[in-house]
Amino acid sequence: MPHIFDPLILRDVTFPNRIWLAPMCQYSCDAGDGIPTAWHFVHHATRAVGGFGLLIAEASAVAPEGRITPRDAGIWNHDQVAGWRRVVDVVHSHGAKMGIQLAHAGRKASTYPPFAGMANGSVPESDAGWPTLAPSAIAFDTLAEPRAMTLEEIDDVVDAFVDAAARADEAGFDVVEIHAAHGYLLHEFLSPASNRRDDEYGGSFENRARLLLRVTREVREIWPQSKPLFVRISATDWADTGWNVDESVRLAILLKEIGVDLVDVSSGGNVIADIPAEKNYQVPLAQAIRERSGVATGAVGLITEPAQAEAILTEGHADAVLLGRAALREPYWPLRAASELGVTWRDAPYPEQYTRGA
Ligand code: FNR
């Protein structure tokens, strides 16, 4: 059996295979309410039918001001929990596991959805935008300047992540992934490029990592011990003055000690940088973290072909692969992978309705 079809056990959860759907914002909630819609139901149900072993729902805001766009999903109230439960239930009914990425967009909040036809920029308050918060008053690219957070606001963000994790459990999710990548709030604290604070949350590695470690520790305390906890990081800012791989390895060691089960290894997003985005470009980052910290990793980024994904696992670079855009193009990618890699239909993740044609 190819390795990508091997189950993976983390805590009490058995993932039926190691081909996972990467978290991807759908910008498809109505009226700024953050409640998943029929689109979210269809988007996830389709990929569960297509054989993905774990689906991680998009960056879901832990507080309204943490949304990237007004149409982002949220998990800051109970109406959202009810919406997510429908999605989780349909995914479970097809044998897949379901995770949710908990997020706060920090200085990259209050922007337009990519397909809104607006230039890259902040949504003004006159168009239902809101002021943004960050470690320091440093704008990202052309976005509005954020306000530096007070210590009380930092405490509030920690509480928001913890409460969101409790709601994720109520909604039936198997996995929580804390979003600390792509230049959003927790990454902004990690990186010296965006964090110029002179209190206990800025300066040294320990201080810059303090917020993420606090969030992770407090989420781990309330997230059931039976369920795995993931953290997505940008392993490098791809910039000399930014966050880097050595710091990511140090961080991963600490995350593992706290009880993080898997680090989902992405990169970039916090500063404008030249990113060598080509096949497997982030795999060496996942490999370095896996080898040097001992934590399980997920590899993501331009993984598009079954043999490519299989090699990443058999060569020991990661414990699972996550697919983003390939899974948008091809929701039944795992079924194609099974066919290409010679897995019989009996062993492939076919829904029973499709086995006659397999
Ligand atoms: C993304 N990505 C992303 N990442 C993340 O951590 N949270 C998110 O909500 C999103 N949203 C999102 C939306 C869309 C439409 C795309 C295409 C991407 C990044 C994604 O998870 C993945 O890391 C990248 O797309 C790289 O993987 P692929 O697409 O090369 O397989």
Side-chain angles (χ1 to χ4, degrees):
M1 180 72 96
H3 206 32
I4 51 174
F5 288 103
D6 282 344
L8 178 68
I9 300 174
L10 295 173
R11 298 191 183 241
D12 290 355
V13 175
T14 302
F15 301 94
N17 63 51
R18 294 156 186 249
I19 311 167
W20 297 352
L21 179 71
M24 282 182 283
C25 287
Q26 299 298 300
Y27 315 104
S28 294
C29 298
D30 298 323
D33 61 12
I35 301 175
T37 60
W39 176 263
H40 296 89
F41 185 88
V42 171
H43 171 72
H44 291 98
T46 319
R47 273 94 197 156
V49 169
F52 286 86
L54 167 68
L55 285 65
I56 305 183
E58 68 195 78
S60 301
V62 299
E65 65 277 12
R67 289 169 298 164
I68 305 168
T69 83
R71 297 196 61 191
D72 282 19
I75 182 123
W76 69 81
N77 69 37
H78 280 92
D79 293 338
Q80 295 157 354
V81 170
W84 280 122
R85 180 162 271 292
R86 288 184 61 229
V87 178
V88 172
D89 286 348
V90 73
V91 167
H92 282 164
S93 75
H94 293 292
K97 301 296 179 193
M98 181 87 201
I100 184 167
Q101 192 183 47
L102 304 184
H104 189 301
R107 65 178 181 164
K108 289 171 86 174
S110 190
T111 62
Y112 287 100
F115 45 77
M118 307 295 287
N120 277 345
S122 297
V123 182
E125 286 181 60
S126 57
D127 198 12
W130 58 91
T132 55
L133 294 172
S136 305
I138 304 169
F140 175 78
D141 197 28
T142 56
L143 300 185
E145 187 177 293
R147 187 168 58 70
M149 291 168 76
T150 63
L151 290 175
E152 201 186 344
E153 285 167 334
I154 291 177
D155 291 344
D156 291 345
V157 161
V158 177
D159 291 345
F161 271 94
V162 172
D163 293 346
R167 286 186 207 103
D169 185 40
E170 254 177 76
F173 285 103
D174 306 290
V175 170
V176 149
E177 174 169 283
I178 296 169
H179 195 355
H182 303 167
Y184 298 115
L185 187 72
L186 298 175
H187 182 185
E188 290 161 21
F189 270 85
L190 292 174
S191 172
S194 43
N195 182 348
R196 307 271 164 76
R197 297 181 74 94
D198 54 14
D199 60 9
E200 68 263 40
Y201 288 96
S204 65
F205 166 85
E206 285 76 11
N207 285 357
R208 283 179 283 118
R210 190 177 307 281
L211 177 58
L212 173 58
L213 294 174
R214 236 189 106 186
V215 166
T216 309
R217 204 174 287 118
E218 294 192 26
V219 165
R220 184 68 275 180
E221 273 170 22
I222 65 97
W223 181 241
Q225 285 303 311
S226 57
K227 296 187 180 186
L229 176 63
F230 297 1
V231 175
R232 179 172 264 207
I233 63 168
S234 281
T236 172
D237 282 342
W238 300 106
D240 292 342
T241 52
W243 177 255
N244 60 43
V245 180
D246 288 336
E247 289 183 310
S248 292
V249 171
R250 276 179 81 182
L251 177 70
I253 292 167
L254 298 172
L255 292 174
K256 185 168 188 264
E257 276 170 17
I258 294 172
V260 167
D261 301 285
L262 181 137
V263 176
D264 177 4
V265 184
S266 189
S267 74
N270 195 39
V271 294
I272 302 298
D274 237 347
I275 300 181
E278 57 196 26
K279 182 180 154 181
N280 284 353
Y281 72 108
Q282 292 176 153
V283 172
L285 306 172
Q287 179 185 2
I289 290 173
R290 188 172 191 258
E291 276 173 16
R292 291 167 60 193
S293 75
V295 78
T297 57
V300 66
L302 289 172
I303 301 169
T304 59
E305 291 310 313
Q308 174 195 5
E310 176 64 6
I312 291 168
L313 299 195
T314 50
E315 289 166 18
H317 302 325
D319 298 272
V321 291
L322 292 100
L323 272 63
R325 290 159 291 182
L328 296 182
R329 292 192 289 274
E330 207 180 341
Y332 293 4
W333 191 98
L335 300 183
R336 171 164 72 90
S339 167
E340 276 186 33
L341 298 178
V343 179
T344 66
W345 65 264
R346 271 178 233 286
D347 293 326
Y350 274 96
E352 60 185 7
Q353 293 87 340
Y354 292 178
T355 48
R356 185 177 162 203

